[in-house]
Amino acid sequence: MSIFNFDAMSAFGRVQSVDTATITIQVEDASQLSRLQVNHLIAIRSSKVGQALIGMVSKIMRKFSEDSDLSDEIGIISTDIVKAVLIGTLLDREGEHRDVFKRTLESVPEIDSQCFIMAGDVLTSFMGAISGADSGMEHPLCIGKYTINDGAPAWLDGNKLFQRHAVIVGSTGSGKSFTVATLIEKIAELKSCNAILFDIHGEYEPIVGENIQHYHIAGPADGPSEHTMFLPYWLLNYEEMLALMLDRSDSNAPNQAMVFSQAVKKEKIDLLEESGHNELVHAITLDSPVPYRISTVIEYLNAKNTEVGKGVSGRDKQGDFYGKLSRFIQRLEAKISDKRLNFMFSAAEDLLDFSYMETLCRQLMAPASQNGGIKILDFSEVPSDILPLIVSLLARIVFSVQQWTDRSRVNPLAIFCDEAHLYIPANAQQGIELSSLQSFERIAKEGRKYGIGLVIVSQRPSEVNRTVLSQSSNFIAMRLTNADDQAVIKKLLPDSIGNFADLLPILDIGEAIAVGDASLLPSRIIIDEPQQKPNSATVKFWDEWSRESVSDDITAAVLAMRRQEK
């Protein structure tokens, strides 16, 4: 082997037993044990020429036994034992003049096979073989340095990372936001990059640069502008409309839903005819994203709610829906007048234009080569009670457009779901949360076919929907201190990564375990710091309290709260 010259290396032990992908090694050179630690890499000499098996140490122990016949002479006998998990094979490609690492076992070690510690120049050479151009990755993505060898860059397969979805988890302060910012900066370097980041708290505002676009979901006082995004009510499908506007506990809820759907369908057809798109009148459904005037819908509902006709005897007779729509109309009018929902119920006439849907989709989905790139969407002014509905609305629109795009012209797109536990919950209780889950579960299951990659980012993986998590094949796990969160991630990680999962509570800030299809081997990585840091720094309580004097802005905050405007 070009990396492993076994004849010039000193073995620390020999294989004693083999059990599928686990081996037990009896240590023969105890002086080398001080160089060996759990999760370190070792090389096992293969019987096949041009191959070396790679293992990861899972346990180091010393066994004691007492030989009754020799106890008086030599006392207790000790044996040093090392257990390791086989993780792949290093192949010597003589014709290509390079070594290739594969996550498959080309053979199994024989009993008495020699085992060697990988350290120093040998380890550096091996890390180089799985990195960069020599790794076999077409377009490798460097995210940091390997902890076991900080001189070697850590690479992921950029194709597999987004094709097969990814999960980034870590407790508060573990460096999770820095990791997302680093990934965003790396992606932005690509000339036709295309990604959306749902920025729930506005913490990624400082991340600027070429191919990075910022959009703000309209606040109470915002009007249409280049970087202000409106999501008009007519984008909602039937189920989403009812989740937002209908109280299902109301005894008249079925009647309200039926009359509302009739009104919406009628108004959509009227507006299509008014705008000269008669060819679509017979093609649309209630779910079609076609503009309609909510004010006209309310007029229709009021008419039905007060409708009076003539009975058989000629006397006035109340209509079928007389008085049954009052509470629904009241709720609908309350939503429309709620300044917090300006992004949805704004009276701006531009938002009723038939072409607005295309304008919105271009903002969301244009690649960098078409003046798009990475779109960071600031949701900080969206009310928390409807946040799941609005985030899933955007995800559904993106999925639907990708689904209807000709396969040969699909531009792949990644969706970063920051604070995913807020809108992809493990236990959905309300109609809005259930509606939100359907969109993300469908993307998790089918997104790969339509060029959509999902990146779930959360500090509470135990509160994120299990179906979505289980569809992800890549994990970047940072420090997790909560036992429930650790348990969820350990169940999702493959069994072949040794004791890596046990490191979750003791990882350093900015350190992560990278496991999955995108990582050639399970790795402990020090993530590169982003050039521009997000606004995720924790307030320093003790330092602030120690100041002689501090100012406050309570009066202005109360006024802003009353105005619903910062």
Side-chain angles (χ1 to χ4, degrees):
M1 299 291 295
S2 58
I3 291 179
F4 301 121
N5 182 7
F6 290 129
D7 293 332
M9 296 170 65
S10 175
F12 73 91
R14 293 180 180 272
V15 174
Q16 191 177 51
S17 67
V18 181
D19 181 9
T20 315
T22 305
I23 62 172
T24 303
I25 303 164
Q26 182 169 344
V27 177
E28 295 180 338
D29 185 356
S31 63
Q32 294 194 47
L33 269 184
S34 60
R35 298 164 54 203
L36 200 61
Q37 296 182 24
V38 171
N39 294 324
H40 272 198
L41 298 176
I42 60 172
I44 302 99
R45 197 167 194 167
S46 173
S47 58
K48 293 187 177 181
V49 177
Q51 290 185 12
L53 298 169
I54 308 300
M56 183 176 291
V57 176
S58 60
K59 195 170 187 179
I60 304 172
M61 54 187 173
R62 174 166 288 173
K63 287 187 175 181
F64 295 93
S65 62
E66 187 171 334
D67 189 316
S68 57
D69 296 332
L70 301 175
S71 58
D72 293 336
E73 300 177 20
I74 59 176
I76 297 174
I77 302 171
S78 66
T79 306
D80 294 325
I81 301 293
V82 172
K83 287 191 175 182
V85 178
L86 298 175
I87 60 173
T89 310
L90 191 71
L91 305 173
D92 183 10
R93 303 291 197 195
E94 292 184 8
E96 301 175 24
H97 302 288
R98 65 187 181 99
D99 295 302
V100 176
F101 176 74
K102 297 178 67 175
R103 284 298 309 275
T104 56
L105 297 178
E106 298 287 326
S107 61
V108 292
E110 298 178 348
I111 300 298
D112 278 340
S113 295
Q114 290 181 306
C115 303
F116 303 85
I117 295 174
M118 291 171 60
D121 293 340
V122 172
L123 180 59
T124 301
S125 298
F126 174 74
M127 302 313 280
I130 64 171
S131 299
D134 294 335
S135 66
M137 301 179 191
E138 188 176 350
H139 295 289
L141 164 66
C142 179
I143 62 168
K145 299 284 193 298
Y146 290 108
T147 302
I148 60 172
N149 186 346
D150 57 12
W155 300 85
L156 299 179
D157 188 318
N159 285 326
K160 293 178 181 178
L161 181 67
F162 296 109
Q163 281 175 344
R164 302 172 190 181
H165 308 314
V167 174
I168 301 174
V169 294
S171 300
T172 302
S174 62
K176 183 176 72 277
S177 298
F178 276 28
T179 301
V180 173
T182 297
L183 272 175
I184 292 297
E185 289 182 348
K186 300 287 185 182
I187 296 170
E189 295 173 0
L190 306 179
K191 294 180 180 179
S192 291
C193 62
N194 200 357
I196 299 172
L197 169 59
F198 295 144
D199 184 5
I200 305 304
H201 301 302
E203 61 183 289
Y204 295 96
E205 184 182 357
I207 312 300
V208 296
E210 190 177 359
N211 298 335
I212 297 177
Q213 313 292 333
H214 283 265
Y215 293 97
H216 174 71
I217 305 300
D222 291 329
S225 65
E226 185 180 357
H227 290 283
T228 301
M229 187 172 286
F230 285 81
L231 307 171
Y233 52 85
W234 52 264
L235 291 171
L236 299 171
N237 63 27
Y238 181 60
E239 288 299 326
E240 291 166 345
M241 287 189 288
L242 295 186
L244 177 65
M245 302 170 183
L246 188 70
D247 181 2
R248 296 186 184 275
S249 64
D250 193 320
S251 59
N252 288 312
N255 289 324
Q256 294 166 358
M258 181 179 68
V259 178
F260 179 67
S261 64
Q262 291 173 353
V264 170
K265 183 72 176 290
K266 178 181 180 300
E267 177 58 16
K268 284 186 176 185
I269 292 173
D270 289 348
L271 217 60
L272 279 175
E273 293 175 341
E274 183 183 315
S275 61
H277 293 88
N278 299 57
E279 74 280 2
L280 294 175
V281 168
H282 299 293
I284 68 164
T285 67
L286 195 57
D287 289 339
S288 299
V290 174
Y292 65 90
R293 289 188 177 88
I294 196 72
S295 57
T296 310
V297 170
I298 292 178
E299 290 174 8
Y300 182 93
L301 295 173
N302 274 316
K304 287 290 184 180
N305 193 49
T306 57
E307 188 176 48
V308 176
K310 294 294 182 181
V312 177
S313 61
R315 294 181 178 180
D316 289 344
K317 179 187 176 183
Q318 293 178 350
D320 293 338
F321 304 105
Y322 187 91
K324 295 180 179 179
L325 308 177
S326 300
R327 294 180 64 187
F328 182 76
I329 294 169
Q330 186 180 16
R331 281 194 299 273
L332 187 51
E333 289 177 335
K335 294 285 186 187
I336 295 171
S337 60
D338 189 343
K339 291 185 67 177
R340 301 177 306 158
L341 304 183
N342 176 50
F343 64 88
M344 181 173 285
F345 294 105
S346 170
E349 198 65 24
D350 293 352
L351 303 179
L352 288 175
D353 193 291
F354 186 78
S355 64
Y356 182 77
M357 177 77 175
E358 183 181 342
T359 301
L360 176 66
C361 290
R362 287 196 180 280
Q363 286 180 323
L364 285 172
M365 304 176 64
S369 55
Q370 298 177 19
N371 300 318
I374 297 170
K375 283 73 64 171
I376 299 177
L377 310 184
D378 181 357
F379 286 83
S380 58
E381 292 194 57
V382 175
S384 59
D385 55 335
I386 67 164
L387 177 68
L389 178 65
I390 303 308
V391 175
S392 68
L393 167 63
L394 286 171
R396 178 178 60 78
I397 289 173
V398 169
F399 180 81
S400 298
V401 174
Q402 289 284 89
Q403 192 177 21
W404 285 98
T405 301
D406 186 284
R407 287 291 183 92
S408 63
R409 305 191 67 180
V410 165
N411 289 310
L413 180 149
I415 300 177
F416 286 76
C417 299
D418 192 39
E419 304 289 1
H421 53 279
L422 297 178
Y423 47 90
I424 315 178
N427 300 304
Q429 304 292 334
Q430 307 171 25
I432 286 179
E433 291 180 341
L434 289 170
S435 178
S436 172
L437 270 182
Q438 292 175 358
S439 297
F440 285 104
E441 284 187 353
R442 190 174 183 195
I443 292 174
K445 294 173 182 176
E446 305 175 34
R448 178 181 171 186
K449 291 184 283 187
Y450 302 107
I452 300 179
L454 206 56
V455 182
I456 302 299
V457 184
S458 178
Q459 57 184 304
R460 293 306 314 275
S462 60
E463 296 180 7
V464 177
N465 180 262
R466 297 292 187 277
T467 300
V468 175
L469 287 179
S470 63
Q471 292 293 322
S472 302
S473 300
N474 298 289
F475 296 88
I476 299 177
M478 312 192 81
R479 184 175 62 199
L480 284 170
T481 54
N482 183 279
D484 292 338
D485 296 330
Q486 293 173 23
V488 168
I489 296 302
K490 285 180 180 179
K491 287 179 182 178
L492 292 170
L493 296 179
D495 295 332
S496 60
I497 68 165
N499 290 10
F500 263 68
D502 295 333
L503 296 173
L504 289 174
I506 58 172
L507 291 171
D508 197 2
I509 295 173
E511 192 176 28
I513 296 170
V515 182
D517 295 343
S519 179
L520 281 173
L521 76 165
S523 307
R524 188 173 174 181
I525 294 171
I526 301 171
I527 304 292
D528 285 341
E529 281 197 15
Q531 296 177 15
Q532 299 166 93
K533 297 175 175 55
N535 289 328
S536 56
T538 307
V539 176
K540 297 179 180 179
F541 281 68
W542 202 258
D543 292 349
E544 291 295 316
W545 291 344
S546 299
R547 292 188 178 187
E548 288 288 333
S549 175
V550 293
S551 59
D552 69 68
D553 202 21
I554 294 174
T555 302
V558 171
L559 182 60
M561 182 173 62
R562 286 175 173 157
R563 287 180 175 173
Q564 288 295 301
E565 175 185 346
K566 283 189 178 180

